[in-house]
Amino acid sequence: MTAPLPIKTVATRAFNDQRPGTSGLRKKTKVFEQPHYLANFVQSIFSSLEGFEGKALVVGGDGRYFNREAIQIILKMAVANGFGEIIVGRAGILSTPAASAVIRHEKAFGGIVLSASHNPGGPDADFGIKYNISAGGPAPEKITEAIFAHSKVIESYKTVEAPDVDIDHLGETFVGATKVRVIDPVAIYRDLMASLFDFSAIRALFASGFTMKFDAMSAVTGPYAKAILEGDLGAAPGTVLNGEPLPDFGHHHPDPNLVHAKHLYDLAMSDAAPDICAASDGDGDRNLVIGRGQFVTPSDSLAIIAANAHLAPGYSQGIAGVARSMPTSGAADRVAKKLGVGIFETPTGWKFFGNLLDAGKVTICGEESAGAGSNHVREKDGLWAVLMWLNILAVRKQSVKEIVRAHWAEFGRNYYSRHDYEEIATEGANALVAGLREKLASLPGQIFGSLTVAAADDFSYLDPIDGSLSQQQGIRILFADGSRIVYRLSGTGTSGATLRVYIERYEPDPARHDLETQAALAELIALAGSIAEIRKHTGRDAPTVIT
Ligand code: VG1
Ligand code: CO
């Protein structure tokens, strides 16, 4: 230990736009690069917390442009604010699920995760930051609102004068009296995965000739996927594509959806298809799973994982319950019902699952936006979902397609799609939502073609554990036959507004499980447009992204 460094108080002025969204604060990189912008937010985090003096803080990010600079700023501020130890992933890299695992494993006070997730990276793209609590999950709204309140009145922040810390070599150094420990970003996570899944069964699967392509999208998951899939599990070299994390993700959009990972979809549908194709996003918390000739919607993936989790050693005792975000399809509900376990419907964003997981009410959680996870960490976890699928395939000795088809035959199929209208004018988006709110009371009972509205509301969630209420979490139109249209505005975008329209229809009859999704939903899609007057309010004839 070296002597404490003098604390330097830097005068600043408040910014008025630092309210965290669905998952932390996300802005254009140039906004974060403004003098004091990042420091203000970091000080607002520390000023909202109590009792961390002498305790450990985990810091890491997805490696995007500005990650390294941001980490140096945060390290010095954490020292000045009185943390006893700072644990950093080598080169400043930790995937979001790995950061959560490290916070829990090291019993840290909390962590700062630098990521704008599936948003592109680079000097002209996006950057982001969020705070995770000691359980390992994103801070609940009570804390994010306190951070925002501080950010509006901040006048100064604390830092120390010190040379940049070497974050590229494993080991310990001191900055003043604070220990900085640089750790292998992969090791703790890899051990955790080995404790949950039957690695020898998956190894045998690969040894038997099973083939896979995993696209890390030049983002953070590459080193994790290479170590686990090609290293521990014996998948062929070259299984992991785009495995080197790049600060601009190779100029790509690191969102593993049917638009930005279309090449993977095309591969999976081709004659050269491997047994499974998978991908994850910028920070490694999302997943995409496509079997040979069989796309798996994230909502179906959640349901299938819930129904089969007991096949993996870490879940062999069965699951306590399932939670899904409100827009996620009801497929998981049917599984929970059959298993006789609880099912919870929460607002969009992983922060709402934390209390349910901590209380032991649920084991598996998921979102329609390609997110699934369990009580092993408090974030969604892309590679975990892929390993869960591999474990299920290894035990059931069936193809992805056979498993999906058998699931639909048993539970029925929830046809599901999300239509995004990206970067629309904020005024139009707000007018659309206001227009829908006005219609809510008059919608029930109305008949549109073959559809009758059973109920319509603006979703609100009363957290059963801490009693907190979150309102206006998405407009729902529920039909008598169980179909649904949901509208909400994105809370992760960085320019204009993004309207998300979620469309779902349940089909129990296996003879009708082979329809093309958009065709199966055509009547609802048209109705979603007319009820909300999408064209009028957005000026768009069609969505930007269909998943
Ligand atoms: C989106 C998704 C949401 C997810 C969030 C963070 O939020 O819809 O399900 O939790 O991104 O994911 P929004 O507000 O834009 O709809 V990640 O992988 O960006 O951390
Ligand atoms: Co992400």
Side-chain angles (χ1 to χ4, degrees):
M1 178 175 338
T2 45
L5 292 169
I7 294 168
K8 189 176 149 192
T9 302
V10 180
T12 187
R13 63 171 179 87
F15 296 86
N16 63 5
D17 64 346
Q18 296 196 326
R19 177 181 239 142
T22 310
S23 181
L25 183 70
R26 291 187 194 173
K27 299 282 176 195
K28 291 286 169 210
T29 311
K30 291 231 156 38
V31 173
F32 271 106
E33 287 180 305
Q34 295 173 83
H36 309 308
Y37 192 88
L38 175 73
N40 274 20
F41 190 73
V42 172
Q43 186 63 54
S44 300
I45 294 174
F46 295 154
S47 300
S48 306
L49 305 174
E50 272 171 22
F52 58 77
E53 289 75 14
K55 302 210 169 120
L57 179 74
V58 172
V59 183
D62 62 13
R64 70 179 62 218
Y65 179 87
F66 195 53
N67 194 60
R68 295 178 72 89
E69 293 81 351
I71 283 185
Q72 295 294 340
I73 292 170
I74 295 165
L75 285 179
K76 290 167 197 175
M77 290 184 65
V79 169
N81 277 272
F83 279 93
E85 182 178 8
I86 305 161
I87 302 167
V88 193
R90 183 177 47 218
I93 291 194
L94 283 174
S95 76
T96 293
S100 186
V102 171
I103 293 169
R104 294 167 69 80
H105 185 266
E106 300 294 319
K107 300 193 169 33
F109 184 86
I112 291 182
V113 182
L114 301 169
S115 169
S117 188
H118 56 288
N119 300 17
D124 297 312
D126 295 349
F127 192 78
I129 175 169
K130 68 176 176 177
Y131 178 71
N132 281 26
I133 58 175
S134 60
E141 280 188 328
K142 204 173 118 221
I143 295 180
T144 57
E145 285 302 308
I147 295 170
F148 180 49
H150 272 284
S151 77
K152 288 189 289 189
V153 296
I154 188 170
E155 292 179 345
S156 66
Y157 59 85
K158 290 189 220 169
T159 188
V160 295
E161 300 255 22
D164 279 358
V165 185
D166 173 8
I167 56 173
D168 294 305
H169 297 95
L170 302 183
E172 294 177 5
T173 47
F174 276 87
V175 178
T178 305
K179 185 197 285 180
V180 177
R181 184 149 57 95
V182 179
I183 60 162
D184 177 348
V186 176
I188 289 171
Y189 180 83
R190 183 183 194 170
D191 290 348
L192 181 57
M193 292 302 114
S195 76
L196 298 174
F197 298 113
D198 188 344
F199 272 25
S200 60
I202 304 174
R203 254 197 309 273
L205 179 72
F206 279 116
S208 73
F210 181 90
T211 53
M212 175 176 196
K213 287 290 175 199
F214 180 94
D215 192 343
M217 302 190 95
S218 305
V220 75
T221 321
Y224 298 85
K226 275 194 205 163
I228 295 172
L229 297 174
E230 294 183 14
D232 300 338
L233 298 174
T239 294
V240 178
L241 309 171
N242 300 311
E244 289 301 321
L246 299 175
D248 65 350
F249 309 124
H251 281 302
H252 291 129
H253 197 138
D255 190 348
N257 64 24
L258 293 181
V259 172
H260 302 298
K262 181 157 189 308
H263 58 283
L264 217 54
Y265 179 84
D266 292 342
L267 176 65
M269 298 302 147
S270 75
D271 290 342
D275 292 297
I276 192 169
C277 291
S280 60
D281 70 335
D283 61 334
D285 56 357
R286 296 187 179 205
N287 76 88
L288 173 75
V289 168
I290 318 179
R292 181 184 288 134
Q294 180 67 58
F295 174 64
V296 188
T297 69
S299 293
D300 278 348
S301 184
L302 171 67
I304 292 168
I305 286 174
N308 292 277
H310 63 279
L311 302 177
Y315 308 88
S316 60
Q317 304 300 309
I319 58 174
V322 184
R324 62 163 172 85
S325 65
M326 181 274 282
T328 305
S329 96
D333 303 32
R334 297 175 190 282
V335 174
K337 194 170 173 215
K338 182 181 170 213
L339 294 175
V341 300
I343 174 82
F344 295 83
E345 187 176 38
T346 58
T348 296
W350 212 262
K351 59 177 174 270
F352 294 102
F353 294 137
N355 281 344
L356 296 170
L357 289 164
D358 290 348
K361 297 254 180 223
V362 302
T363 308
I364 304 284
C365 305
E367 293 193 276
E368 57 68 41
S369 54
S374 86
N375 58 356
H376 68 291
V377 288
R378 294 293 181 273
E379 292 278 4
K380 56 187 181 281
D381 187 342
L383 203 45
W384 172 90
V386 173
L387 292 169
M388 177 63 96
W389 266 97
L390 290 174
N391 198 140
I392 293 168
L393 293 167
V395 175
R396 286 186 53 166
K397 304 196 190 318
Q398 289 172 301
S399 67
V400 171
K401 188 170 195 160
E402 286 165 337
I403 288 173
V404 169
R405 293 286 158 155
H407 188 89
W408 290 343
E410 181 176 0
F411 294 96
R413 176 173 181 185
N414 290 69
Y415 281 103
Y416 187 87
S417 185
R418 189 181 87 201
H419 289 202
D420 290 340
Y421 297 78
E422 295 177 326
E423 297 192 27
I424 57 175
T426 307
E427 304 75 50
N430 291 338
L432 183 147
V433 171
L436 280 170
R437 287 203 176 112
E438 269 170 36
K439 286 186 185 165
L440 284 177
S442 64
L443 278 170
Q446 286 195 43
I447 297 170
F448 300 94
S450 69
L451 296 155
T452 305
V453 178
D457 67 4
D458 197 345
F459 182 64
S460 68
Y461 178 64
L462 182 65
D463 185 300
I465 311 300
D466 69 12
S468 59
L469 182 67
S470 302
Q471 289 171 298
Q472 302 199 326
Q473 296 296 322
I475 307 249
R476 304 191 289 186
I477 304 180
L478 311 168
F479 297 91
D481 69 350
S483 300
R484 235 177 25 146
I485 301 172
V486 174
Y487 305 86
R488 56 180 286 282
L489 299 182
S490 159
T492 58
T494 58
S495 48
T498 291
L499 168 68
R500 302 200 196 283
V501 186
Y502 310 81
I503 303 132
E504 175 180 3
R505 179 165 84 77
Y506 178 63
E507 176 56 69
D509 180 2
R512 299 180 53 79
H513 285 172
D514 285 306
L515 304 179
E516 192 276 321
T517 298
Q518 302 303 312
L521 297 172
E523 189 182 6
L524 283 157
I525 291 169
L527 191 55
S530 60
I531 292 183
E533 300 179 279
I534 293 179
R535 186 171 307 173
K536 177 181 130 191
H537 290 299
T538 67
R540 303 278 178 84
D541 288 330
T544 342
V545 173
I546 296 179
T547 58

